[in-house]
Amino acid sequence: IGMARSIDMARSLVRPVLGSGGGTTTPAPPAPAPPSTPPSGYTRITGAVVDAASGKAVRGAKVLIIKPGVSVHEVRNDTLKLYLHSRGTTNSRGAFKVTRKLGRGATYGVVISAKGYKVKRAEAGIKLGAGAPATLDVGKVKLRRKAKKKRARRSGCGCSV
């Protein structure tokens, strides 16, 4: 019985070749794939930026969402307008929300910067699937302070002779 089922399945995959006259068969082409439609809808991104050491809010941090397909390392001051999808700035509590919603079914790079802190870059920082919520809170993002530069000590009065 198992063998008969296999033969029936095999027959369903074979169809006669038109115009051959001899009843020759050839495998049927695979069924066409259903049309691919991108997931509909958009997601708003929210979160907070905090100091990695103290956990305190970082005010005025810039959160940049980079267009899908663009490396975060391509983003510079002169290319920012070209590659920027959305942005946000943290308030006094370190909270932010980006100005433009992100389309579902895409992956976005993220760049976060603040005065006195190291820039944080995430190549695939936000991946939104088809079932992403209307609002996604990314939680707390920690920034590390830049190392303070030591001043060179002057010897003497600093006068030139």
Side-chain angles (χ1 to χ4, degrees):
I1 293 179
M3 182 65 125
R5 218 177 253 169
S6 296
I7 292 171
D8 288 339
M9 288 177 64
R11 283 185 185 145
S12 70
L13 296 176
V14 176
R15 65 178 171 85
V17 176
L18 297 176
S20 66
T24 308
T25 59
T26 184
S36 175
T37 56
S40 62
Y42 296 91
T43 298
R44 179 173 302 283
I45 304 298
T46 63
V49 179
V50 298
D51 183 283
S54 69
K56 291 184 179 180
V58 176
R59 182 181 187 163
K62 306 293 183 210
V63 179
L64 308 175
I65 308 297
I66 308 306
K67 291 179 180 178
V70 177
S71 169
V72 295
H73 298 288
E74 294 177 52
V75 178
R76 300 180 310 271
N77 286 338
D78 60 330
T79 61
L80 183 59
K81 285 185 180 180
L82 181 64
Y83 297 142
L84 184 67
H85 176 78
S86 188
R87 71 174 72 208
T89 303
T90 58
N91 61 20
S92 61
R93 295 184 317 270
F96 71 88
K97 67 178 174 182
V98 296
T99 55
R100 186 173 168 204
K101 294 178 180 181
L102 282 61
R104 295 181 185 141
T107 300
Y108 299 84
V110 179
V111 178
I112 302 175
S113 65
K115 187 175 182 178
Y117 290 87
K118 294 180 181 179
V119 175
K120 188 166 203 159
R121 293 177 176 89
E123 199 66 54
I126 299 175
K127 292 182 182 182
L128 296 176
T135 300
L136 176 65
D137 186 341
V138 297
K140 293 181 180 179
V141 180
K142 297 177 181 180
L143 290 186
R144 298 190 184 283
R145 287 199 174 271
K146 289 181 181 177
K148 292 186 178 182
K149 295 179 183 178
K150 293 183 180 181
R151 288 186 172 177
R153 296 180 87 184
R154 292 186 184 188
S155 57
C157 69
C159 304
S160 55
V161 180

